[in-house]
Amino acid sequence: MMKQDLIECAALLLKEKQTIAFAESATAGRLTAEFALLPDAGSFLKGGFVCYDASVKEEVLSVTPELVKRYTPESAEVTAAITRGLMPLIPADIHVGVTGLTAPGGSETPEKPVGTMFVCGMMAGVTVFSERVVFSGSPEKIILQTIACVAKKITDALRNR
């Protein structure tokens, strides 16, 4: 399922001549790696940045410590902030940020359990998707489900623009 979503997304990126870059926390580079394995990835993939620790989000992607403290590193607000912070680092047509909880030890609560992921996509600085999703399974399964979700969101955003 994930592979088909990625292939469809890549084909549309190529057809529309769009480039993409990723800021990844919980997916730790796996999102960028999966896109890099697609045919003609060099035509659409600009790069990715892993910001697993909150200090990297703050120091490199210009997320304010107040935002992290108020909403937690795994939140919609911080995900939007890392997406914006990526823009000056990696120029691209589409910027995507991902944070979340793939395993215990983060900011999980009964209202935000392990498996909660936040995805945000921006085109030309405008948010085209921002969503909280909850997946289940092992950390790897949660990451793979998130990658499929992101591919679908990008595809939908390109079709609806």
Side-chain angles (χ1 to χ4, degrees):
M1 180 79 167
M2 177 191 75
K3 195 65 171 175
Q4 187 56 43
D5 294 327
L6 287 166
I7 291 168
E8 186 177 342
C9 183
L12 198 51
L13 287 164
L14 287 165
K15 179 182 175 200
E16 300 291 325
K17 297 180 177 17
Q18 296 292 292
T19 57
I20 193 159
F22 300 102
E24 300 184 63
S25 183
T27 50
R30 181 77 181 262
L31 178 60
T32 303
E34 292 294 338
F35 270 80
L37 295 172
L38 295 166
D40 298 313
S43 297
F44 58 82
L45 180 60
K46 289 291 194 159
F49 185 82
V50 176
C51 54
Y52 202 78
D53 189 77
S55 67
V56 178
K57 293 171 180 69
E58 295 168 8
E59 294 167 16
V60 181
L61 296 175
S62 303
V63 178
T64 65
E66 295 79 25
L67 191 72
V68 173
K69 185 175 181 178
R70 181 172 183 188
Y71 295 104
T72 78
E74 304 89 9
S75 64
E77 294 80 6
V78 169
T79 306
I82 67 170
T83 307
R84 281 190 303 275
L86 180 65
M87 291 178 191
L89 297 179
I90 305 177
D93 299 308
I94 303 166
H95 292 88
V96 175
V98 178
T99 68
L101 301 158
T102 61
S107 64
E108 69 271 7
T109 65
E111 297 78 30
K112 185 172 71 171
V114 169
T116 303
M117 300 296 287
F118 299 92
V119 298
C120 178
M122 297 182 181
M123 298 174 78
V126 176
T127 301
V128 292
F129 62 85
S130 179
E131 191 166 330
R132 174 191 190 265
V133 289
V134 180
F135 300 116
S136 61
S138 68
E140 183 174 23
K141 286 184 179 178
I142 292 167
I143 289 170
L144 295 176
Q145 291 171 83
T146 302
I147 292 167
C149 173
V150 167
K152 288 178 188 175
K153 296 287 178 196
I154 295 164
T155 300
D156 289 347
L158 287 168
R159 287 189 175 138
N160 295 327
R161 64 184 181 129

